[in-house]
Amino acid sequence: MKIALGERWGREGGYRELLVLALPLVLSTASWSIQLFVNRMFLAWYSREAIAAVVPASILNFSTMSIFIGTASYVGIIVAQYFGARQPGRIGATAWQGVYVALIGGVFHALMIPFAPEIFGAIGHDPAVQAYEIEYFMIINAGAFFGIASSAFAGFFTGIGKPWPVMWVNVAGTGVNILLDYLLVFGKGGFPELGVRGAAIATVVAGLSYCGLYVALLAKRHYRITYRSLAAWRPDGELFGRLMRFGLPSGVQFFVDIVGFNIFLLLVGRLGTDSLAATNIAFSINTLAFMPMIGIGIAVSVLMGQYLGADNPAFAGRSVWSGFHLTLLYMGTISLAYVLAPGVFIWPFAANAEVGEMGAVYATVAVLLRFVAVYSVFDTLNIVFASALKGAGDTRFVMYMLCCVSLCVLIVPTYLALIVFRAGIYTAWYIASAYVILLGFAFLLRFMGGKWRSMKVIGEPHPAIVSSHPAVPATEFEP
């Protein structure tokens, strides 16, 4: 076993290659999860109504954004395959097609702002919670373009195997968000106390900072000359169509996944503010572990794309299994901590909150973390194998499977359990856990079927393109 592990470490598609790409992406997604965690921690300190309101409002916003983010971020897969195929001249133009997706998404979200009172009025949460939901939703919708465009720009860097700029941009944006959160939520440093409104403003300003930093990086001479990062800004019908063909199903899948959990949260909210707050805190804690896994998933997608672009499916497959091994080890460790030391994760939320007001909520969170511990282990299948399928271009299968399982295993059973049969919060969490587990096995079986080996999302090489960077290794793989 020691020899086998040593061989896998240094070979193409092995642990070392995956970690070199994944580490900055893990740090990047971890910084984003820290931003989200701190944002919600501050709001939990601010009031019970604030934390109960912001998570549904932000998830509803992210639900509508997700279809655009999922589509725009598929830029990274197309770029990775062009990189592996040694067609650098198509890379800059691909990234800019994602920006046009962001423009469409920005307009769409701006048009949603006037309907916020009707949307949250129909949901029917407590009046105090509802007022905060409307306020937060309206502000963050105004900044939707920045988040979507940042996903496209990030795809440019990850696709060419340069994840460190993505990490530094995310770290900088997280710093901006956390600082503004503290100043504007609580009214520190001479700023007014804006509460939920302050948290929303901080989120929008952080998104603007992400975009500005990415554009500044794209203006560097190397990217301008090698990949035409600025010159290729014009709309390209062929590339935009390719992004829609493969990226839109990925966006729909992302949308359905988020909407499914959003509906789950809204149904749990019918059980009362305490149940909703406990569920929101448990999901927020889970985010700390889940988001770094997203970084490994992105790395798996990129290596899959690069190796398939170079016509080397054997190395692509090895990259996926390397990612699964590392992710399972990571999530197994985190899940054990959820069971053995739940108080460590709950403490930041309880530090500045009233014990009498939130005591029952935190007791429920400790139980919910046991559910999180179990399904998180199986969520490794979702992250790694869904990412692998998308990296190959099998986005329609991922979309269809997620739509089916979300409706039949998560949404309908939760509605029947909570609304029709009046079950409690733990029944809802059993259903959510079954959803994650079943979906993970579906993606694993699809990957093991091997159809991805013959897939590719790019066309034949463009005759005018001359390669100016090393190819991805195309050595044959010995079993």
Side-chain angles (χ1 to χ4, degrees):
M1 179 179 291
K2 183 177 180 180
I3 294 174
L5 289 175
E7 289 181 350
R8 180 175 283 275
W9 171 262
R11 301 176 77 180
E12 291 87 348
Y15 300 131
R16 183 181 182 278
E17 182 179 49
L18 182 75
L19 285 173
V20 166
L21 182 60
L23 180 59
L25 295 174
V26 167
L27 294 174
S28 176
T29 52
S31 71
W32 188 87
S33 66
I34 290 170
Q35 170 183 320
L36 191 63
F37 184 87
V38 172
N39 176 284
R40 294 177 181 178
M41 180 181 70
F42 285 162
L43 291 168
W45 293 356
Y46 190 75
S47 75
R48 181 180 62 169
E49 290 77 15
I51 184 60
V54 165
V55 175
S58 61
I59 290 181
L60 184 57
N61 164 265
F62 196 65
S63 296
T64 54
M65 281 184 63
S66 62
I67 190 167
F68 299 100
I69 289 176
T71 303
S73 64
Y74 204 78
V75 160
I77 306 302
I78 300 176
V79 165
Q81 292 208 9
Y82 276 131
F83 183 85
R86 296 190 290 178
Q87 298 184 55
R90 303 294 281 163
I91 288 175
T94 300
W96 281 102
Q97 306 318 300
V99 177
Y100 293 116
V101 173
L103 286 172
I104 297 169
V107 171
F108 175 84
H109 284 84
L111 294 175
M112 287 184 66
I113 292 174
F115 298 99
E118 287 77 12
I119 292 171
F120 291 98
I123 291 169
H125 289 164
D126 292 341
V129 173
Q130 190 179 132
Y132 282 145
E133 287 172 332
I134 294 169
E135 184 175 47
Y136 191 82
F137 183 78
M138 292 175 72
I139 295 172
I140 59 176
N141 260 31
F145 166 80
F146 304 118
I148 302 168
S150 294
S151 298
F153 289 138
F156 170 90
F157 292 102
T158 57
I160 64 173
K162 299 288 185 182
W164 285 102
V166 178
M167 189 207 76
W168 290 118
V169 167
N170 276 276
V171 168
T174 294
V176 170
N177 187 274
I178 291 175
L179 176 61
L180 289 178
D181 261 341
Y182 179 72
L183 297 175
L184 296 177
V185 170
F186 302 108
K188 302 295 184 180
F191 287 86
E193 180 182 328
L194 299 178
V196 168
R197 186 189 306 172
I201 293 171
T203 298
V204 172
V205 174
L208 176 60
S209 69
Y210 288 133
C211 265
L213 289 171
Y214 277 129
V215 172
L217 288 171
L218 288 171
K220 293 180 67 174
R221 185 174 183 273
H222 169 67
Y223 300 127
R224 286 189 289 107
I225 293 176
T226 306
Y227 305 111
R228 303 180 67 237
S229 59
L230 296 184
W233 62 267
R234 293 174 179 80
D236 184 313
E238 187 272 333
L239 278 177
F240 189 81
R242 192 180 302 280
L243 182 59
M244 290 297 102
R245 178 184 174 190
F246 294 101
L248 185 57
S250 181
V252 172
Q253 169 256 315
F254 197 12
F255 170 76
V256 171
D257 192 18
I258 297 297
V259 165
F261 269 102
N262 190 29
I263 294 174
F264 175 83
L265 277 176
L266 297 177
L267 291 171
V268 168
R270 295 281 186 168
L271 299 176
T273 300
D274 283 356
S275 292
L276 180 59
T279 295
N280 288 342
I281 291 172
F283 278 144
S284 298
I285 291 170
N286 184 42
T287 298
L288 284 175
F290 178 81
M291 291 310 298
M293 283 204 304
I294 294 294
I296 296 179
I298 295 171
V300 167
S301 291
V302 168
L303 288 178
M304 174 73 92
Q306 289 183 351
Y307 279 124
L308 289 182
D311 294 318
N312 202 321
F315 290 169
R318 186 191 289 155
S319 301
V320 175
W321 286 109
S322 296
F324 174 68
H325 297 160
L326 295 173
T327 306
L328 184 62
L329 176 63
Y330 166 78
M331 276 313 307
T333 304
I334 295 294
S335 294
L336 192 62
Y338 284 153
V339 174
L340 298 180
V344 173
F345 300 96
I346 297 171
W347 174 81
F349 291 91
N352 276 20
E354 292 292 334
V355 176
E357 183 183 53
M358 298 289 286
V361 172
Y362 297 137
T364 303
V365 173
V367 178
L368 297 185
L369 285 179
R370 298 174 193 171
F371 288 93
V372 174
V374 173
Y375 77 60
S376 290
V377 173
F378 292 94
D379 214 11
T380 60
L381 301 175
N382 276 312
I383 295 298
V384 174
F385 294 107
S387 297
L389 295 175
K390 289 190 286 186
D394 198 7
T395 53
R396 291 184 182 274
F397 172 83
V398 177
M399 176 185 69
Y400 292 143
M401 182 56 62
L402 197 27
C403 289
C404 179
V405 177
S406 181
L407 179 64
C408 299
V409 181
L410 180 65
I411 297 174
V412 172
T414 302
Y415 176 81
L416 293 174
L418 300 189
I419 306 303
V420 177
F421 296 107
R422 306 291 182 182
I425 186 172
Y426 300 132
T427 300
W429 274 76
Y430 276 116
I431 294 170
S433 300
Y435 162 76
V436 172
I437 293 168
L438 180 60
L439 200 59
F441 279 110
F443 293 141
L444 170 64
L445 292 175
R446 177 69 170 187
F447 176 80
M448 293 182 69
K451 185 177 180 180
W452 57 269
R453 293 177 177 273
S454 59
M455 292 183 171
K456 191 178 286 190
V457 302
I458 59 174
E460 294 301 314
H462 194 284
I465 300 303
V466 179
S467 173
S468 60
H469 63 79
V472 175
T475 310
E476 290 299 321
F477 164 62
E478 305 87 5

